[in-house]
Amino acid sequence: SIAYLNGEYLPLEEARISPLDRGFLFGDGIYEVIPYYNGKSVGLVPHIERMIDGLASVEIKCKKSADEWKVLLDDLIARNEGATNNLGVYVHVSRGTDVKRFHAYPENVEPTIFCFTFAIKDPEPVDREKVHAYTVTTSEDLRWKRCHIKSTALLGNVMHFQQGHASGNSECLLYNANNELTEGSSVNAYIVKDGVVITPIQDNQILPGITRRIIIDSLVADGSIKVEERNVTMDEVYSADEVWISSSSKEIAPITQIDGKPVGNGKVGPVWEAAFRIYTDAKFTHS
Ligand code: PMP
């Protein structure tokens, strides 16, 4: 595929950066993943805004405006035959390459900008009998206290994801020291109780997911399903009727088992199907 690196388009396997790049040495960077289905993006503007906010929060001085990002990403999708494929675009901005390894932010270093595309699956069917359901494990959230920043330093997330993976699950749901749900290692999390969708509040313990934003906004606009943003205890998770996860690549995905025990009756629930239909109808028009 064709990648973008510091102003140039080139075959992905030819892209090279210095080992002194601070992204490599310190995980000192911000990233995004944006889905495009047959050339149509989901949440492009909020994804770009989240990246610009993240870069500002760690003082990486990237000069690209939101409009310039939009042109770059749409162009990269077009160069990778995005009009007839489902592609994710990975965007990575590191603080750049210094002449030495030194923790302090260097002056006068240009950020490294790297983007590439990769194939993503077709959306799942809006059908609770046919959708792929996931199983998860659980762990105390042992990442850092700045989970709202989409940092490329993902070792904490990677270690939790591996906990799920190594035990034959596809995610790991995380809880804080107060036994409250935060999110999963690469996804936001939701429970459904008595028809109400409940998801943890957006604070420093979770990534402000764009899919989460589109889900909440589209459910509120539709009005037929009630949504609450509040703290969720793990007892509520274990006794929920339904549990879901969300991300740009998984959209809204149902969870049918937690730590080997069934969620609700162990089947994908009706609120998932209703919510996924509402989300699917709204996802391309949400700005
Ligand atoms: N939480 C974490 C920790 C993530 O890494 C991600 C993205 N994979 C999400 C939530 C979901 O965010 P989004 O909906 O913007 O993809």
Side-chain angles (χ1 to χ4, degrees):
S1 65
I2 300 299
Y4 172 94
L5 179 63
N6 296 330
E8 279 176 51
Y9 293 92
L10 73 179
L12 176 58
E13 55 286 356
E14 288 173 21
R16 297 284 180 272
I17 60 159
S18 163
L20 283 175
D21 191 280
R22 289 178 62 99
F24 182 68
L25 292 177
F26 297 117
D28 185 356
I30 297 291
Y31 78 105
E32 274 299 327
V33 177
I34 304 153
Y36 281 76
Y37 297 96
N38 295 318
K40 284 189 285 176
S41 60
V42 177
L44 180 59
V45 170
H47 274 285
I48 291 171
E49 283 171 356
R50 180 173 67 184
M51 183 168 60
I52 289 174
D53 288 352
L55 290 166
S57 73
V58 298
E59 297 175 45
I60 292 178
K61 296 185 176 65
C62 178
K63 294 180 206 82
K64 281 198 195 312
S65 68
D67 284 342
E68 287 166 337
W69 276 115
K70 193 174 175 308
V71 170
L72 194 172
L73 299 180
D74 286 346
D75 186 20
L76 188 63
I77 288 291
R79 287 170 191 255
N80 284 282
E81 287 160 39
T84 50
N85 288 291
N86 297 333
L87 297 176
V89 53
Y90 175 85
V91 186
H92 179 129
V93 182
S94 84
R95 196 177 304 278
T97 302
D98 202 353
V99 291
K100 57 183 185 301
R101 181 180 178 277
F102 178 56
H103 288 58
Y105 300 169
E107 311 256 330
N108 305 321
V109 161
E110 281 295 306
T112 301
I113 303 178
F114 171 56
C115 313
F116 72 97
T117 64
F118 55 96
I120 57 173
K121 284 184 282 191
D122 279 339
E124 289 284 326
V126 186
D127 181 340
R128 63 189 173 119
E129 306 289 335
K130 298 201 181 108
V131 63
H132 176 76
Y134 290 82
T135 68
V136 297
T137 186
T138 58
S139 170
E140 183 178 355
D141 194 338
L142 299 178
R143 302 173 300 167
W144 65 340
K145 294 181 180 165
R146 294 171 174 152
C147 291
H148 58 296
I149 299 176
K150 200 164 170 63
S151 164
T152 59
L154 284 174
L155 187 55
N157 302 66
V158 164
M159 290 174 77
H160 281 314
F161 190 94
Q162 182 63 20
Q163 278 179 288
H165 184 76
S167 57
N169 295 283
S170 40
E171 254 296 348
C172 183
L173 288 187
L174 304 171
Y175 50 89
N176 64 20
N178 297 330
N179 218 35
E180 291 158 349
L181 177 67
T182 57
E183 59 179 345
S185 65
S186 68
V187 289
N188 290 114
Y190 310 75
I191 66 166
V192 177
K193 191 67 186 175
D194 300 328
V196 180
V197 179
I198 311 163
T199 195
I201 57 168
Q202 187 177 303
D203 60 13
N204 65 316
Q205 299 182 93
I206 69 166
L207 190 81
I210 304 307
T211 318
R212 176 186 181 280
R213 187 75 266 145
I214 300 174
I215 292 168
I216 294 172
D217 290 348
S218 61
L219 293 186
V220 168
D222 176 81
S224 62
I225 301 173
K226 193 164 172 243
V227 193
E228 288 178 10
E229 295 179 71
R230 63 162 171 83
N231 293 343
V232 176
T233 66
M234 286 309 280
D235 289 341
E236 289 182 290
V237 174
Y238 291 116
S239 60
D241 301 326
E242 301 181 24
V243 175
W244 314 335
I245 54 177
S246 79
S247 72
S248 295
S249 53
K250 292 195 170 76
E251 301 202 291
I252 317 178
I255 304 297
T256 48
Q257 258 185 37
I258 303 178
D259 292 330
K261 290 179 271 288
V263 173
N265 65 5
K267 296 201 175 116
V268 178
V271 185
W272 173 83
E273 188 172 302
F276 190 48
R277 176 165 293 113
I278 293 165
Y279 170 85
T280 299
D281 290 344
K283 67 182 183 184
F284 293 121
T285 49
H286 187 284
S287 86

